[in-house]
Every structure is written in structure tokens, then in C-alpha cells.
Amino acid sequence: MHVQEWLETVPAVAVYALVGVVIGLESLGIPLPGEIILVSSALLASQHGDIDPVVLGASATAGAIIGDSIGYAIGRKGGRPLLAWLGKKFPKHFSEGHIATAERSFEKWGMWAVFFGRFVALLRIFAGPLAGVLRMPYWKFLTANILGGILWAGGTTAVIYYVGIVAESWLKRFSWLGLVAAVLVGLTSMLVLKRKAKKAAPAVAAE
């Protein structure tokens, strides 16, 4: 079964909890398909009255903000040794090239890297821990974290929900297209970051 069909088999409270937990863990720094779960749940809410889109959006937003904040605390305490450990556990996501690319983004954009990183798959995983490692002032991080979490989680929920309402009959036949679109967006952002990471790798090795 694909994600949406599986979500249809669980109660609304479990959907809220699942969305909040998965997005929270992803924001914490664990590579999970938070965006896919959110898109599928919002699409499901547009087709079933049992799931409240406001509660769903609030659950996603809370998970994003809390997860990022915990990631920040862990990164601040663990420092660069934490990034080295994550590189061993998740080499595809926390390679030296990816870390170098994310670090340059933080040095150039500061708190805006946290805000806009919410909309990019890999930066969404990096943002919290890396901001802590680089010791970004917490008030800056928290401001960008809250604004980015609300706009990304709440905005995604609202857009997908209203698209589902407007085109419900069409989406019932081709609901998998929403999932495919989300996956394509995620893959595109990952490929862009991977390309940047490959370019950054030689420089990191030289240093």
C-alpha cells in the first residue's frame, strides 16, 4: 500500500501524532520522509471529514518547531564530533561535502538559512543540529525556526487541502500524482545539494 492508503486505515488522532512525530524526528536530524507524510495526510484530510486540516497543520508545525529546537540543543552540546558521528551513521546525508555546503549557506545567510532550509529536503535535516554546532544565537534560530515551521508545515497543509477540495473527484482517481509531485520536488532539491556537495568535497579534503 502507498502512504495515503495506509493512513486511511488509522484513526485521525494517530494521523496527527504520526505527522507530528515524523516531521519532528526529521527536523531533529533523522532522515525521514516528513514531506511525503504531510502531503499524503493533507490530501487525505481533503477527502475525509474525520481529519481536521487545522489540527493537522498545527501538529505538523509543532513537530517542525520542537524537532528543530531539540536538534539545535543537541548540536550545541555535541559540537563537531556530533557531525562526524552522524557522518558515520548516515553517510549519504551527513557527508563532508553536504556539511560543507550547508555550513557555507549558514555563514552566508545566517538565520535565513534556517528559514529557507525548511523548504529544502536535506537542509531541513541539517538546520537544527548545524545551527547549534555553529552556535547561532538561539533567539535568531528560534525566530527563523518558528516562522519557517509555520509557513512550511501550515502552508503545505493548506495548499494541498484546498487543492484536494477543489479537485476531489480528479484526485480520487489520480491521488498518487500528489505523492509523485512531492517526491519529485524532494529529489530535485537533493540532487542540487548533492551537486554542490561534490564540488565542495575537494576543497574540504584539501583543507
Side-chain angles (χ1 to χ4, degrees):
M1 292 189 298
H2 66 59
V3 176
Q4 187 182 350
E5 290 176 339
W6 179 78
L7 288 172
E8 290 177 351
T9 66
V10 299
V13 174
V15 174
Y16 303 145
L18 178 67
V19 168
V21 169
V22 171
I23 291 178
L25 291 176
E26 182 189 38
S27 302
L28 178 66
I30 300 175
L32 290 174
E35 192 168 42
I36 292 176
I37 292 293
L38 179 57
V39 168
S40 298
S41 299
L43 186 59
L44 183 63
S46 70
Q47 301 171 3
H48 297 274
D50 293 340
I51 299 177
D52 189 329
V54 176
V55 178
L56 180 65
S59 300
T61 301
I65 294 172
I66 293 171
D68 246 11
S69 296
I70 296 174
Y72 175 91
I74 293 174
R76 193 174 180 89
K77 185 175 181 179
R80 293 193 176 276
L82 173 65
L83 296 180
W85 180 82
L86 288 171
K88 293 179 181 179
K89 294 293 183 180
F90 306 103
K92 291 184 179 180
H93 296 86
F94 288 90
S95 66
E96 291 184 359
H98 286 166
I99 293 173
T101 299
E103 190 169 351
R104 281 199 300 274
S105 298
F106 271 71
E107 291 173 352
K108 183 176 181 180
W109 301 106
M111 63 185 293
W112 290 108
V114 177
F115 177 82
F116 288 112
R118 176 60 61 186
F119 300 88
V120 181
L122 283 179
L123 283 181
R124 198 159 51 241
I125 300 172
F126 277 116
L130 189 56
V133 170
L134 298 177
R135 297 194 173 273
M136 176 184 290
Y138 184 66
W139 70 268
K140 288 186 175 181
F141 170 80
L142 184 61
T143 300
N145 180 25
I146 291 175
L147 293 176
I150 292 173
L151 190 60
W152 174 74
T156 299
T157 302
V159 169
I160 297 299
Y161 176 78
Y162 284 112
V163 166
I165 291 295
V166 172
E168 182 176 1
S169 59
W170 185 83
L171 285 172
K172 279 185 176 178
R173 296 182 180 180
F174 304 101
S175 60
W176 54 272
L177 288 178
L179 184 61
V180 170
V183 172
L184 289 176
V185 170
L187 288 175
T188 301
S189 62
M190 288 180 65
L191 289 174
V192 170
L193 277 176
K194 283 183 178 181
R195 180 176 296 179
K196 290 183 178 180
K198 286 182 180 180
K199 291 180 179 179
V204 173
E207 291 177 4

